[in-house]
Amino acid sequence: MVRTIKAGLAFAALAGAFLLQPSVHAQDSMKQDEMKHDKMQDDKVMHEAKAKTLETGKFHGKVHATSGRATIYQEADGKVVLRLTNFKTSNGPDVHVILVATVDAMDDANFLKDNTEKVELGKLKGNEGDQNYEIPAGTDLTKFRTVSIYCERFNANFGAAPLEKF
């Protein structure tokens, strides 16, 4: 009987050692992931430190809840980029990111009449999250004052961010 108890205790100790070992590896893995995340944040800060902030604005939307920030950066190589951060809007078909030659774009206005100038930056990459769009060289940012999330199929403005100098 004593022999059975000793064997049971030895087995329990051995099983406990194996069960604890993966959590140590999981903690190491979590530390490595944290370090990678910190490095990515540092790289992002370094990238943004090299880029000059030109203009920024907050999204608004009534019919389609749209939120987040639109910021235009000029990178060290001269390239101009629109960055959407903390961005969120509705799903929709054929949704695009455009610059519009207006001070603001109201949700209920058909602001894309034939005479309203616009610059197409591309299809919306996702309805949530940070994303970048290259602005064509030579775009006059003093004329194009608003970023719009626009559904071409339904001629609907999902949201707009009026831009201001930073």
Side-chain angles (χ1 to χ4, degrees), residues 96-165:
H96 296 254
V97 178
I98 59 175
L99 293 176
V100 186
T102 61
V103 176
D104 197 355
M106 301 309 294
D107 295 304
D108 56 356
N110 182 358
F111 64 94
L112 285 180
K113 298 183 171 128
D114 289 338
N115 60 348
T116 303
E117 291 184 70
K118 66 178 182 174
V119 175
E120 169 78 36
L121 301 183
K123 285 193 167 224
L124 186 67
K125 295 175 182 177
N127 68 317
E128 289 187 32
D130 297 354
Q131 44 201 287
N132 293 336
Y133 298 87
E134 190 169 335
I135 297 175
T139 301
D140 183 358
L141 296 177
T142 61
K143 184 193 298 185
F144 297 97
R145 305 297 310 143
T146 299
V147 176
S148 172
I149 308 303
Y150 177 72
C151 178
E152 268 192 34
R153 183 178 296 173
F154 296 109
N155 195 33
N157 179 32
F158 277 30
L163 298 169
E164 297 177 350
K165 292 276 184 203

Side-chain angles (χ1 to χ4, degrees), residues 16-86:
F18 279 114
L19 290 175
L20 291 177
Q21 193 173 13
S23 69
V24 170
H25 289 300
Q27 286 176 349
D28 287 344
S29 177
M30 285 173 43
K31 282 182 185 177
Q32 287 175 350
D33 286 347
E34 266 182 45
M35 288 171 40
K36 285 179 188 174
H37 182 268
D38 289 346
K39 173 146 178 39
M40 287 184 351
Q41 288 295 91
D42 289 346
D43 288 347
K44 182 179 173 184
V45 169
M46 290 297 289
H47 169 72
E48 288 178 359
K50 293 176 186 174
K52 179 182 175 189
T53 304
L54 301 177
E55 299 183 11
T56 189
K58 291 180 90 175
F59 278 101
H60 63 82
K62 292 179 186 164
V63 176
H64 294 274
T66 301
S67 60
R69 180 165 291 281
T71 306
I72 296 178
Y73 295 98
Q74 184 170 23
E75 296 181 341
D77 63 1
K79 187 167 55 171
V80 181
V81 175
L82 169 68
R83 178 156 180 81
L84 308 184
T85 52
N86 299 316

